[in-house]
Amino acid sequence: MPIPSYPVLFYKPATSLTGPFAPIPVSHMAQSCPGLDYECELVAVIGRAALNVSESAALSHVAGYAVGNDVSHREWQLKRGGGQWSLGKGFDGWAPFGPGIVSSSIITNPQNLRISTRLNGQVVQESNTRDMIFGVAKTISFLSQGTTLLPGDLIFTGTPQGVGMGRNPQLWLKDGDA
């Protein structure tokens, strides 16, 4: 896909959040067609309120970082959801993250972290956050323009190449995958 001029944004409701090893429920609606995909992402945890912050000040609002899986149903995200990405990404239990949050005092540069996904023991995504189109500071600054980010807000920052949708043949998640 072409590189966007601005970060592509969507939300996941609080009911999407779950632990890193919890089963991912797949609602009846999401079972109606194939397209269940994985996306490893760096998650920034907001530690203090941020409104209209500059890119240079953005990281000072981060309490810490975790890893997350932006579980997505591509058919509902791109076709059946009418272009509203939140529908295809916001089902209950579709934002596992953790198992821990590393303090921003330890991770002072979130743009140099290895990130990967294993599916059934095989590496299917492997990259570094330095390859992100929009860095963490830029994303937080952009999100905070006119919208207050609050302590505890989680920002999933984007996924590297290797998602199931981009493979040939496509690789969709199925019951029992780990």
Side-chain angles (χ1 to χ4, degrees), residues 43-62:
V43 178
V45 181
I46 297 299
R48 64 185 183 96
L51 176 63
N52 300 321
V53 298
S54 66
E55 191 172 339
S56 62
L59 295 183
S60 70
H61 294 266
V62 176

Side-chain angles (χ1 to χ4, degrees), residues 29 36 42-43 46 53 62 64-65 70 77-78 99 103 111 113 116 119 129 136 140-142 145-146 154 175:
M29 182 178 174
L36 189 59
L42 177 66
V43 178
I46 297 299
V53 298
V62 176
Y65 301 94
D70 176 18
Q77 174 192 356
L78 301 171
S103 171
Q111 299 311 140
L113 302 170
S116 64
L119 179 60
T129 56
V136 176
I140 290 170
S141 175
F142 183 73
Q145 301 308 303
L154 304 177
D175 190 30

Side-chain angles (χ1 to χ4, degrees), residues 14-154:
T15 55
S16 293
L17 297 175
T18 191
F21 307 111
I24 297 170
V26 182
S27 73
H28 181 72
M29 182 178 174
Q31 292 178 35
S32 64
C33 53
L36 189 59
D37 210 346
Y38 52 85
E39 293 187 33
C40 68
E41 301 194 13
L42 177 66
V43 178
V45 181
I46 297 299
R48 64 185 183 96
L51 176 63
N52 300 321
V53 298
S54 66
E55 191 172 339
S56 62
L59 295 183
S60 70
H61 294 266
V62 176
Y65 301 94
V67 66
N69 183 355
D70 176 18
V71 179
S72 303
H73 196 291
R74 301 307 183 185
E75 182 74 16
W76 282 102
Q77 174 192 356
L78 301 171
K79 295 179 184 171
R80 296 185 185 196
Q84 298 178 42
W85 285 27
S86 297
L87 179 61
K89 293 173 168 280
F91 289 101
D92 288 354
W94 281 25
F97 79 104
I101 298 170
V102 180
S103 171
S104 59
S105 67
I106 294 171
I107 298 177
T108 57
N109 178 9
Q111 299 311 140
N112 192 25
L113 302 170
R114 182 179 168 272
I115 188 164
S116 64
T117 298
R118 287 184 176 271
L119 179 60
N120 300 322
Q122 303 284 34
V123 175
V124 292
Q125 288 184 284
E126 188 164 22
S127 190
N128 191 292
T129 56
R130 72 176 156 260
D131 294 332
M132 294 169 72
I133 295 170
F134 300 102
V136 176
K138 174 87 169 176
T139 300
I140 290 170
S141 175
F142 183 73
L143 279 169
S144 77
Q145 301 308 303
T147 300
T148 304
L149 302 175
L150 296 174
D153 284 349
L154 304 177

